[in-house]
Amino acid sequence: MTKGALALLVHGGTENWSPQRWKSRFDEVCEGRPVLQLSDAKSDPAAVHYAAVWKPRPGELAAFPNLRVIFNLGAGVDALMADRTLPDVPLVRVAVGDLTARMTEYVVLHVLMHHRQELYLRESQREKRWAPKSQWAANAISVGVMGLGTLGADAADVLRRLGFRVAGWSRGPRTIADIECFHGEAQLDAFLRRTDILVCLLPLTAETRHILNRPLFEKLNRASPLGAPILINAGRGGLQNEPDILQCLDDGTLGGASLDVYGTEPLPADSRFWTHPKVVLTPHNAADTDPDEISKYVAEQIERFEAGGALENVVDRGRGY
């Protein structure tokens, strides 16, 4: 019996998101299952039962009348949810150890970068200035993680083991061993008041859009050795009010920022983020998806689904994640 085809809709532009690279990986792991690209003129849309996608264009998925499941190859699903023509089938987020580990690496790297005064030290190096400042211990710094899903919970745990005082905030109640957990609007201010370095890994929803703004930054702790709070956003670009971030960096409300995501990507050449002395900028690669791990994950999910098993990490469309 011919297995239902998997359509591959990848619109990237970087080496990691080459459609040919992903096609090669899915051909290897989807034994006996046709793997089709939208550009293949010979493909029959009616034969497609599954779609693995990255930034599909609005309306593309509606072309498949027998679609049963959509697999999003990245962590964020906000762009997909904005497509009003999106078929009413299960939408699955990827959740593999490789992606989680990469995000934790990014978060830990940037927390340590600000904690260990790397921006100042690199400036000193450029100016050939030998002037080390006093360095405080990790337990003098409170890190707050917004978003306690798989990625946030793992990053929080590793930071705790490094000695930082770690707390987390989420929309609903969560319990994580040895992590102080806050939740909901009522507990947001208390979470912010004790936070020196704010790490944002929230999903982008109507409620979280532009949540990273001046009123929120003004509630962060200003009595830590850092002098002014630090922002690290590796969640979604739509979470941040970018004019507010720049103004708060300029006037000292924020002492620094590490940003991996932006409202417009690629980041425009005239953005002040490129040259701001308090900004560490990365090109949305904090947890770049690995084709090897993700293709295996999708293939296993499909096989289990066809055998009558339940899909994992299905998006709650009402909540947006």
Side-chain angles (χ1 to χ4, degrees):
M1 181 181 296
T2 302
K3 297 181 177 180
L6 170 69
L8 187 59
L9 282 67
V10 173
H11 300 291
T14 63
E15 179 182 356
N16 190 57
W17 290 105
S18 161
Q20 293 74 26
R21 183 183 185 198
W22 285 86
K23 174 74 161 59
S24 174
R25 289 301 302 123
F26 274 108
D27 280 338
E28 288 182 24
V29 298
C30 292
E31 185 176 354
R33 185 182 307 280
V35 178
L36 310 174
Q37 290 182 294
L38 195 63
S39 58
D40 185 354
K42 298 179 181 179
S43 63
D44 177 9
V48 172
H49 290 180
Y50 309 98
V53 306
W54 175 245
K55 297 184 178 180
R57 298 186 180 99
E60 281 188 329
L61 287 161
F64 305 115
N66 297 318
L67 196 62
R68 300 176 68 187
V69 186
I70 301 167
F71 297 93
N72 192 54
L73 298 175
V77 297
D78 48 282
L80 267 174
M81 297 288 289
D83 183 358
R84 295 187 178 183
T85 69
L86 192 68
D88 187 17
V89 300
L91 171 59
V92 175
R93 292 182 295 106
V94 299
V96 297
D98 174 79
L99 186 149
T100 301
R102 290 178 190 228
M103 181 60 80
T104 294
E105 287 176 0
Y106 182 92
V107 170
V108 171
L109 169 67
H110 286 266
V111 168
L112 288 172
M113 186 183 303
H114 293 285
H115 163 60
R116 295 297 305 230
Q117 307 176 80
E118 278 296 302
L119 273 68
Y120 169 76
L121 293 173
R122 297 291 69 78
E123 178 187 31
S124 297
Q125 178 183 355
R126 289 190 296 272
E127 297 179 0
K128 301 179 182 179
R129 183 179 66 240
W130 190 276
K133 294 181 178 180
S134 176
Q135 177 62 54
W136 48 85
N139 62 15
I141 301 299
S142 294
V143 181
V145 179
M146 296 185 80
L148 293 176
T150 301
L151 303 182
D154 190 72
D157 181 62
V158 173
L159 289 167
R160 176 194 61 79
R161 286 186 274 133
L162 287 173
F164 292 99
R165 292 183 281 119
V166 183
W169 180 86
S170 55
R171 180 178 175 181
R174 293 292 306 273
T175 300
I176 303 173
D178 301 316
I179 302 291
E180 186 178 8
C181 294
F182 298 80
H183 72 275
E185 194 69 29
Q187 296 183 9
L188 180 57
D189 285 3
F191 164 79
L192 295 171
R193 283 194 299 268
R194 53 88 60 210
T195 296
D196 305 321
I197 298 177
L198 180 66
V199 176
C200 187
L201 298 176
L202 288 168
L204 179 60
T205 66
E207 290 75 24
T208 61
R209 182 171 293 278
H210 292 171
I211 192 173
L212 300 176
N213 55 32
R214 175 176 286 278
L216 182 141
F217 301 144
E218 289 177 342
K219 295 173 183 176
L220 295 168
N221 183 37
R222 307 191 64 80
S224 78
L226 293 166
I230 301 296
L231 169 66
I232 299 172
N233 183 22
R236 308 299 291 169
L239 297 169
Q240 58 199 29
N241 182 316
E242 295 181 351
D244 278 12
I245 292 174
L246 287 164
Q247 291 170 9
C248 287
L249 289 167
D250 290 342
D251 65 22
T253 302
L254 288 174
S258 287
L259 304 176
D260 186 58
V261 290
Y262 313 91
T264 300
E265 296 182 3
L267 186 65
D270 61 355
S271 171
R272 288 184 61 213
F273 287 140
W274 285 111
T275 56
H276 201 291
K278 295 182 181 179
V279 173
V280 179
L281 180 155
T282 54
H284 201 156
N285 71 335
D288 229 357
T289 303
D290 176 56
D292 291 348
E293 291 296 317
I294 298 303
S295 58
K296 292 176 187 174
Y297 171 84
V298 171
E300 290 169 0
Q301 283 250 47
I302 291 174
E303 292 295 331
R304 186 167 56 250
F305 177 72
E306 291 184 336
L311 293 165
E312 299 175 351
N313 300 302
V314 177
V315 171
D316 182 334
R317 295 202 184 196
R319 300 173 70 181
Y321 58 92

